[in-house]
Amino acid sequence: MAGSRAAFGQLVSRYQDRLYSSLLYVAGSAEAAEDIAQDAVIQAYRKLNTFERASGFYTWLYRIAFNLAVSQRRRERVHASLDQAREARGDELADSAPG
């Protein structure tokens, strides 16, 4: 187990800069790229037993990171769309709480 952790650490060290650089455009900012790269590494570690070696490790890691980035951008877009709709109408949703 310790050997596989060490090997995983070596792979992450080898590919972390490349992964971050690849995510800069997709993530939209340096901070988001860094966060997504970190989340991808954590997720890859948790799912290491699902890595089938049909592709290279970096390809697998990048796919995890790319999917996380797309999901993040989708969540941001939905939030922004709701805010834009409220601004366009010129009103806010009424608070239905008594008071």
Side-chain angles (χ1 to χ4, degrees):
M1 186 70 153
S4 61
R5 286 183 184 158
F8 184 81
Q10 289 174 348
L11 287 170
V12 169
S13 293
R14 181 182 304 164
Y15 295 122
Q16 65 187 358
D17 291 339
R18 181 177 169 195
L19 182 64
Y20 169 78
S21 296
S22 298
L23 289 170
L24 278 172
Y25 177 76
V26 178
S29 73
E31 183 178 312
E34 189 174 318
D35 290 345
I36 291 167
Q38 183 176 3
D39 290 345
V41 167
I42 291 167
Q43 195 172 80
Y45 185 77
R46 289 180 180 155
K47 296 182 177 190
L48 195 55
N49 63 329
T50 67
F51 178 53
E52 297 177 359
R53 294 180 174 87
S55 62
F57 178 80
Y58 176 78
T59 303
W60 180 69
L61 179 61
Y62 177 79
R63 178 47 60 186
I64 291 169
F66 182 82
N67 289 341
L68 289 170
V70 168
S71 295
Q72 178 65 30
R73 294 296 295 254
R74 213 175 269 140
R75 283 190 298 274
E76 289 171 0
R77 187 173 50 234
V78 168
H79 180 72
S81 295
L82 290 174
D83 289 343
Q84 290 169 350
R86 288 180 188 144
E87 289 175 15
R89 282 194 319 261
D91 61 4
E92 289 290 321
L93 296 177
D95 186 5
S96 61

